[in-house]
Amino acid sequence: MNVWLRHHRFALGAALSHVRKAPGSFLFNVLVVAIALTLPFAGVTLLDNVRPMSEQLSVDPEISVFVKLDTSREQSQALAVKMRQVLGDARAKIIFVPREKALDTLKDKSGLTDVLAALGENPLPDSYVVKLEGVESAAAAAHVDDIAQNLRTMPEVDTVQVDSAWVKRLAALLNVLRLALLLLAITLGTVVIAVVFNTIRLQVLTQREEIAVSKLLGATDNFIHRPFYYTGALLGLCAGAVALGAVALSLRPLNAAIAEFARLYASEFQLTALPPLGIAALLAISAGLGLVGAMLSVQRHLARLS
């Protein structure tokens, strides 16, 4: 074990020595790789921020039923029995929302307390929220429209609205974004491997005399290869750190622009940096890409020098 650790410590030292000999070239390559990594890292950060919000949204259809204003409270509450008959065998949860509660909710979320107070009487009607379950197929979705149409025929009902169609669209959009991000990450990951491949190729060519002498002295292939592997991994790791730093710096101006937009919707949504585990995972991926590029380059070009 001590010999194995000593060999790897020597390889890491040799890799750092190569970096110190040509810092400008190394930094330029880090910058190129970081540019390629910044876009997918930014996409991962965005999806990580949107995911908790999307998970809180119910994708089961909801039907909002608004009762006519001139309907008494007793008639409004009795409407639940008739609605259950219209629903039939459909699995659903019926929630009664009194007009007073609806007004309080509107005041809390809209910030229009003074405007609503100026109206005098409560302008909102009693309402019901019908939460349907197990609606995923196209036939079941069509059944939801039939239920809504039947509810509209009830004499006490003023308006019926199906509320959750936009949630399904949002879920579909997020799936498209995840797929697009995956394809983008694969493409740019290939670019990273290609950059590291070329960088290590140049190092191998400039050190071919050293490599030849090392082989004459009995150095094994693994002993010769390890410094190049560490160089590739260091290149990927440093580039990943630069890319994450660029994403973190961009969050402040983005949040300044988002804050005004979110305020219009009575929200305090802000983009936050990835958690430590996510940062560690992305750094490991970027180092892994650098290692893969180095391994491919070393195995190809050192074989030609043998």
Side-chain angles (χ1 to χ4, degrees):
M1 177 62 79
N2 289 333
V3 174
W4 184 84
L5 290 175
R6 188 162 60 248
H7 284 173
H8 280 272
R9 186 166 59 249
F10 174 81
L12 178 59
L16 293 174
S17 177
H18 294 161
V19 171
R20 285 194 297 268
K21 290 179 181 177
S25 175
F26 181 80
L27 292 176
F28 178 78
N29 288 319
V30 166
L31 181 61
V32 172
V33 175
I35 293 173
L37 292 174
T38 298
L39 193 55
F41 283 10
V44 170
T45 303
L46 177 61
L47 288 179
D48 184 72
N49 280 270
V50 174
R51 179 178 51 80
M53 180 179 64
S54 63
E55 289 177 350
Q56 294 175 359
L57 298 174
S58 172
V59 296
D60 290 328
E62 295 182 357
I63 301 177
S64 295
V65 180
F66 299 96
V67 183
K68 292 181 179 178
L69 281 172
D70 56 357
T71 304
S72 66
R73 177 58 53 82
E74 292 77 12
Q75 290 176 314
S76 296
Q77 292 177 331
L79 192 60
V81 178
K82 298 180 180 179
M83 292 173 60
R84 179 59 66 183
Q85 294 174 350
V86 171
L87 291 171
D89 296 334
R91 289 184 298 163
K93 183 177 181 181
I94 301 175
I95 302 173
F96 178 65
V97 183
R99 57 190 304 193
E100 296 81 11
K101 181 179 179 180
L103 182 63
D104 292 339
T105 303
L106 182 61
K107 288 179 180 179
D108 293 339
K109 292 188 175 181
S110 67
L112 300 176
T113 304
D114 295 337
V115 175
L116 294 172
L119 295 176
E121 295 183 1
N122 184 353
L124 301 179
D126 293 331
S127 61
Y128 282 90
V129 176
V130 181
K131 295 185 176 181
L132 299 170
E133 300 176 358
V135 180
E136 296 179 357
S137 65
H143 184 54
V144 174
D145 294 334
D146 293 338
I147 292 174
Q149 187 60 38
N150 291 334
L151 291 174
R152 291 187 182 96
T153 62
M154 302 175 68
E156 298 89 353
V157 173
D158 184 24
T159 306
V160 176
Q161 180 179 353
V162 181
D163 299 325
S164 297
W166 68 274
V167 180
K168 289 184 177 292
R169 296 189 187 102
L170 175 60
L173 177 60
L174 289 177
N175 287 332
V176 171
L177 290 177
R178 291 189 188 99
L179 179 59
L181 179 61
L182 177 61
L183 295 175
L184 179 65
I186 292 173
T187 301
L188 294 180
T190 304
V191 172
V192 171
I193 291 175
V195 171
V196 176
F197 181 94
N198 188 61
T199 300
I200 300 302
R201 180 183 69 84
L202 293 176
Q203 282 195 1
V204 170
L205 293 177
T206 56
Q207 298 177 36
R208 60 180 179 273
E209 294 181 356
E210 292 181 34
I211 295 170
V213 172
S214 298
K215 287 191 174 185
L216 290 175
L217 295 176
T220 63
D221 289 342
N222 287 336
F223 183 84
I224 296 173
H225 294 178
R226 286 193 194 105
F228 297 106
Y229 293 165
Y230 274 103
T231 300
L234 283 173
L235 175 57
L237 182 65
C238 293
V242 172
L244 285 171
V247 172
L249 290 175
S250 67
L251 292 181
R252 177 169 294 184
L254 282 174
N255 281 327
I258 291 172
E260 182 62 28
F261 179 77
R263 196 177 299 116
L264 297 175
Y265 290 89
S267 172
E268 296 181 355
F269 176 77
Q270 282 192 332
L271 295 173
T272 59
L274 290 171
L277 186 60
I279 292 175
L282 291 182
L283 289 176
I285 290 173
S286 57
L289 289 173
L291 179 60
V292 170
M295 293 177 66
L296 293 175
S297 183
V298 167
Q299 290 175 5
R300 177 174 181 178
H301 295 99
L302 283 183
R304 294 181 176 180
L305 298 178
S306 299

